[in-house]
Amino acid sequence: MKVNFWTLPEMSRADRERIVGRAEMDISRVMEIVRPIISDVRLRGDAALIDCAKRFDDAEITGGLKATDAEFEAAYRNVHPDIIEAIRVCAGNVRRHHEQQMKRVEPWWMEEVMPGVLAGEKVTPIPSAGLYVPRGKGAFPSVMYMLCTPARIAGVETIAVCTPPTPDGGFDAASLIAADISGVRDVYKAGGAQAIAALAYGTETIPAVAQVNGPGSPYVVAAKRLLSHVIDPGLPSGPSEAIILADASADPWNTALDLLNEAEHGPDSASLLVTDSPELAERIRVLLPTIAAKLPPQRRAFCEAVLSGYGGIIVCRDLNEAIAFCNDYGAEHLLVKIREPAHAVAGLKNAGEILIGETTPIALANYGTGVNAVLPTGRSALTSDCTSVWAFLKRTSLSHATAAGYAALRPSVERLAEYEGFAGHALTLRERNDVPAGELLGPATPC
């Protein structure tokens, strides 16, 4: 089993750029492939989606695109009760975490910035959201509740979920159950770039929405970028990626397992061990083939492709160099396994999530610790938030001036308006009629 192995100070610039760039290079190459798919969906709507399902998913859709009550009922009959209970437990933790986030959201607030002049914000949900739940390399009911839960808790009025059809032209049953448990019933059979186009432009069945969120292949990410002038593309969330930051105190066997965890997502994923311990690195390199042999053939092939592609092992001179590399990389998932984690967590700035310790593996957080597993990828963690209720909320500025506040601020504003050449602005202030401005608004006063 080939595993990329570098010492960071000796790593070539080309290798570093390729590893830090990861699947973003693939995304740029598929944009021209995606462009005609988007145009077809815009022109032909549902008919194009049905044709795309046959072409890309090898699925014959004979019924409608939208999930019916009968399909939801059948899902509960066809999924083992243990799986349904597992969804309820994990989705419940995610719900409770996002409900706590919502408790910290002030619907609106204003504070004085000078006597009689107030500035603040009003928070409201976005009007509509499209959620994309992939299915290409497996079924992902966890992604369904990770997306539906914060959108529902945030109060989004229209939520439309697109997910690729199964080979028989239906839905993944567990994903339908996850949507239902999360309070969402508008689920549609559409995958890939065509689903993003449908959510952007709308079809006879699928509504056009204001924003789309959810992870996907390079084709999905490319479609979001091409349609960013039509729809808010939401969180940049492409092929999965992870860094395990470890020192000599990390358990080698567990760390090898953690490295394979993200690698099994697919050949366009990235999974890196970053360590200051050459001994740990070598032990893990030896262990990887033994553990990978325990996986099914397809997942083992994915791991082999990732660890010889965008993944591997990087040995650093010390922990500070390792932390600096992690900050430059901006991983989706970052698992910290070092003797004194507080030092590393304090220094880590760029990651979709930071998980701490041997007993908080990425796999646990992927499903049920409560934090959202739909996270920024492709270095967008340098500037983007993790998914939360805030992904589905927006802030509107509020301002109010009393008569006294207006009188105190007007001379400064008038002078600046004249300096910038805005005569109309200055005139608005200079020749304004004096009128009562009403009482001072406070945070508890209803709008």
Side-chain angles (χ1 to χ4, degrees):
M1 180 180 185
K2 182 178 183 294
V3 178
N4 290 328
F5 197 104
W6 298 279
T7 300
L8 187 60
E10 299 171 4
M11 195 175 189
S12 72
R13 180 175 179 178
D15 278 341
R16 180 161 180 152
E17 287 179 351
R18 185 177 64 83
I19 292 302
V20 172
R22 57 270 210 193
E24 289 298 296
M25 293 183 290
D26 296 333
I27 292 165
S28 63
R29 284 195 290 263
V30 303
M31 291 184 80
E32 291 310 308
I33 299 172
V34 164
R35 211 179 288 274
I37 297 171
I38 292 172
S39 297
D40 190 31
V41 173
R42 184 180 187 183
L43 290 172
R44 298 197 300 125
D46 286 355
L49 294 177
I50 292 169
D51 288 348
C52 284
K54 188 170 184 178
R55 178 182 170 193
F56 300 118
D57 302 306
D58 198 23
E60 193 80 44
I61 297 178
T62 54
L65 292 170
K66 185 178 180 180
T68 64
D69 290 343
E71 285 173 308
F72 276 101
E73 291 165 8
Y76 280 97
R77 292 194 302 271
N78 294 330
V79 174
H80 194 282
D82 288 351
I83 300 298
I84 297 174
E85 178 59 19
I87 292 172
R88 290 190 189 280
V89 169
C90 292
N93 287 344
V94 173
R95 183 187 70 251
R96 284 183 283 275
H97 173 63
H98 289 302
E99 285 173 343
Q100 288 300 315
Q101 289 176 337
M102 201 65 189
K103 288 179 182 179
R104 290 164 170 76
V105 175
E106 289 188 72
W108 76 283
W109 60 272
M110 298 182 81
E111 297 290 344
E112 280 191 319
V113 295
M114 64 181 287
V117 178
L118 291 90
E121 291 178 338
K122 177 180 174 64
V123 176
T124 53
I126 63 174
S128 56
L131 309 179
Y132 184 76
V133 178
R135 212 198 62 80
K137 303 182 185 76
F140 303 110
S142 60
V143 176
M144 184 70 79
Y145 61 73
M146 290 288 180
L147 289 170
C148 291
T149 299
R152 178 58 69 207
I153 289 172
V156 179
E157 187 173 337
T158 299
I159 301 173
V161 180
C162 283
T163 188
T166 55
D168 62 359
F171 289 98
D172 170 63
S175 295
L176 276 190
I177 291 170
D180 188 49
I181 287 172
S182 304
V184 174
R185 301 274 291 195
D186 293 336
V187 185
Y188 304 90
K189 301 169 191 170
Q194 60 271 25
I196 307 305
L199 291 167
Y201 292 116
T203 71
E204 299 90 329
T205 302
I206 300 175
V209 295
Q211 181 203 79
V212 63
N213 250 308
S217 68
Y219 297 92
V220 169
V221 179
K224 288 182 183 180
R225 291 183 184 174
L226 287 170
L227 289 163
S228 60
H229 65 294
V230 177
I231 192 172
D232 176 356
L235 182 75
S237 192
S240 195
E241 58 193 44
I243 284 180
I244 296 91
L245 173 63
D247 65 9
S249 69
D251 181 278
W253 180 267
N254 288 347
T255 305
L257 288 169
D258 293 327
L259 193 59
L260 291 173
N261 180 89
E262 213 63 21
E264 75 163 335
H265 276 276
D268 51 5
S269 296
S271 187
L272 288 168
L273 168 66
V274 178
T275 181
D276 63 346
S277 170
E279 295 78 16
L280 177 71
E282 185 57 36
R283 290 185 68 184
I284 289 170
R285 178 159 66 170
V286 172
L287 286 170
L288 283 169
T290 301
I291 299 175
K294 298 174 181 287
L295 295 171
Q298 184 190 46
R299 298 293 171 178
R300 184 168 64 249
F302 288 163
C303 289
E304 291 171 351
V306 169
L307 293 177
S308 62
Y310 296 126
I313 298 171
I314 298 177
V315 179
C316 301
R317 286 173 293 196
D318 53 39
L319 191 58
N320 288 333
E321 185 177 67
I323 290 171
F325 176 82
C326 290
N327 282 332
D328 183 48
Y329 188 94
E332 177 188 18
H333 309 282
L334 178 53
L335 173 57
V336 176
K337 304 205 305 182
I338 65 173
R339 188 174 287 106
E340 297 179 0
H343 167 70
V345 173
L348 292 167
K349 301 174 183 177
N350 303 324
E353 68 176 0
I354 300 172
L355 309 175
I356 305 167
E358 291 282 5
T359 52
T360 317
I362 297 168
L364 202 72
N366 277 165
Y367 291 95
T369 63
V371 297
N372 206 293
V374 179
L375 301 165
T377 63
R379 289 193 92 213
S380 57
L382 272 67
T383 56
S384 297
D385 296 334
C386 58
T387 294
S388 69
V389 294
W390 281 106
F392 303 98
L393 297 170
K394 55 185 173 65
R395 297 178 176 94
T396 300
S397 293
L398 293 175
S399 187
H400 169 69
T402 64
Y406 168 79
L409 185 56
R410 183 181 68 182
S412 296
V413 174
E414 187 177 334
R415 280 193 289 271
L416 283 172
E418 289 173 339
Y419 178 82
E420 293 187 354
F422 287 103
H425 287 56
L427 189 67
T428 295
L429 301 174
R430 189 167 50 251
E431 301 203 6
R432 193 169 203 82
N433 291 330
D434 292 331
V435 294
E439 295 299 317
L440 185 71
L441 288 175
T445 308
C447 288

